[in-house]
Amino acid sequence: MNQPKEYDDSNSLQYRDIEDLVEEFPEVFKKMKGRIIDIGCGPGNITKGVLLPAVGENATIVGADLCPYMVAYAEQNYSVTNKLSYMQLDIQTPELPNNLIEKFDNATSFYCLHWCRNTKGALRNFYQLLRPGGKAIILTISHHMIFDVYSEQREDPRFSAYMQDWLKFTSPQHGHPDAEDILRNDLNDIGFKIHHCSNRWKTFTYPRMEALIDLVMSVNPFVMRLPADLQKPYREDFEKRLKDKHLPKKDYSSGCSVDCCIALLIAVFEKPHY
């Protein structure tokens, strides 16, 4: 697979939102010292480019991701000797390895937990990973229009056979007006002390429709399952559904910008001392 040497998405939705998070909670990040685990680090570019400069000077970060390819890529392109390394980890595992339990002083996770159907189980593992007094900050999607389109397309006879597990790729909070309360209850049940929890809508503007669809297709889990002759119709159908039902009404054929609304859950929480 041909890949650029480094991911360049400094203008992406994820980059913007995580940089905004650092600006909103600068002291939370600055006070992060010791060992930090970044859950769902992906290719490592944001872990190195945004998180590492924001935390305490003496902190060391371990980026963790489920995908072994991502971990290998991050290790090759975004590691920093004695400061930033990577490992493979399934944050939804029912049993964490003993060598990770209470080995981290802080934890972060950005744009990851919406992939976890068992969010509470994942957060329980956060509790296990953290030492007493350890803090965590997370940002995850609670609502996105692409999940609505998944729900619609799985009813289309052309695509339904390839989308039977569509819920696996949909945020468990999607469509819930009380997403913040759900997260608060989970954190409280696990035993965390909550410092902040909010669910807020944000808008990201893409320069043109093609840029939005390119991004959506790049993270869409169903495209590569489709036969070659269905991939273009699937893309066209996705774009039509967005225009017809989920985006502001205007003439996108003229190359105008596209405003995409997204709801984000943000939480800062702490594992109490025994």
Side-chain angles (χ1 to χ4, degrees):
M1 181 181 295
N2 293 325
Q3 292 284 352
K5 183 174 181 181
E6 294 199 353
Y7 279 69
D8 181 15
D9 62 354
S10 56
N11 293 317
S12 72
L13 175 69
Q14 291 90 338
Y15 235 96
R16 181 208 66 173
D17 288 338
I18 298 166
E19 287 183 328
D20 287 351
L21 191 69
V22 171
E23 291 181 9
E24 184 175 354
F25 299 97
E27 292 305 312
V28 172
F29 287 96
K30 286 178 183 176
K31 290 179 180 178
M32 287 189 173
K33 300 176 183 179
R35 296 188 77 208
I36 303 168
I37 185 166
D38 183 32
I39 302 296
C41 65
N45 56 331
I46 291 177
T47 308
K48 181 180 178 181
V50 181
L51 181 59
L52 184 59
V55 299
E57 291 183 4
N58 296 324
T60 59
I61 301 176
V62 178
D65 200 90
L66 174 63
C67 176
Y69 171 77
M70 284 293 187
V71 172
Y73 185 91
E75 192 66 54
Q76 180 179 354
N77 293 283
Y78 292 102
S79 60
V80 179
T81 303
N82 299 324
K83 293 291 291 183
L84 175 57
S85 60
Y86 299 90
M87 69 175 182
Q88 186 179 2
L89 176 67
D90 178 4
I91 194 57
Q92 294 187 94
T93 182
E95 187 172 350
L96 283 170
N98 286 332
N99 66 330
L100 296 181
I101 294 176
E102 294 196 347
K103 297 301 182 184
F104 296 93
D105 301 284
N106 298 278
T108 60
S109 183
F110 312 123
Y111 274 91
C112 166
L113 292 179
H114 58 273
W115 299 117
C116 298
R117 294 305 301 173
N118 183 9
T119 306
K120 191 171 184 177
L123 291 170
R124 193 173 287 114
N125 281 338
F126 273 68
Y127 192 92
Q128 293 268 68
L129 290 165
L130 288 169
R131 295 184 175 113
K135 281 188 178 180
I137 184 166
I138 64 170
L139 179 153
T140 185
I141 298 173
S142 62
H143 191 97
H144 199 297
M145 66 182 72
I146 66 172
F147 301 142
D148 289 321
V149 178
Y150 291 169
S151 177
E152 296 165 14
Q153 286 187 309
R154 56 119 182 181
E155 300 290 345
D156 189 312
R158 295 174 297 171
F159 313 127
S160 59
Y162 308 97
M163 301 182 68
Q164 293 300 304
D165 58 347
W166 69 282
L167 272 177
K168 179 181 176 182
F169 304 100
T170 302
S171 170
Q173 291 87 19
H174 183 75
H176 289 279
D178 54 350
E180 178 183 333
D181 291 337
I182 293 172
L183 179 58
R184 282 185 179 275
N185 290 337
D186 285 348
L187 292 172
N188 280 322
D189 287 348
I190 292 165
F192 282 114
K193 178 182 179 181
I194 302 172
H195 295 282
H196 174 91
C197 185
S198 64
N199 188 38
R200 75 273 300 264
W201 284 92
K202 299 185 75 172
T203 301
F204 190 82
T205 301
Y206 294 87
R208 59 191 185 283
M209 177 61 69
E210 184 180 350
L212 171 58
I213 300 302
D214 284 346
L215 174 65
V216 166
M217 291 298 111
S218 72
V219 298
N220 186 296
F222 312 111
V223 176
M224 296 310 296
R225 299 178 180 180
L226 296 165
D229 63 334
L230 273 182
Q231 291 183 12
K232 183 177 179 182
Y234 179 87
R235 178 187 173 107
E236 291 172 346
D237 180 79
F238 204 107
E239 181 175 344
K240 185 177 187 303
R241 291 178 189 273
L242 285 178
K243 291 177 180 177
D244 290 349
K245 296 182 63 176
H246 303 290
L247 289 171
K249 301 299 182 184
K250 55 182 175 179
D251 182 10
Y252 292 104
S253 64
S254 63
C256 63
S257 61
V258 183
D259 292 331
C260 178
C261 293
I262 182 173
L264 299 174
L265 274 171
I266 293 171
V268 182
F269 46 95
E270 178 180 351
K271 179 177 181 176
H273 290 278
Y274 298 132

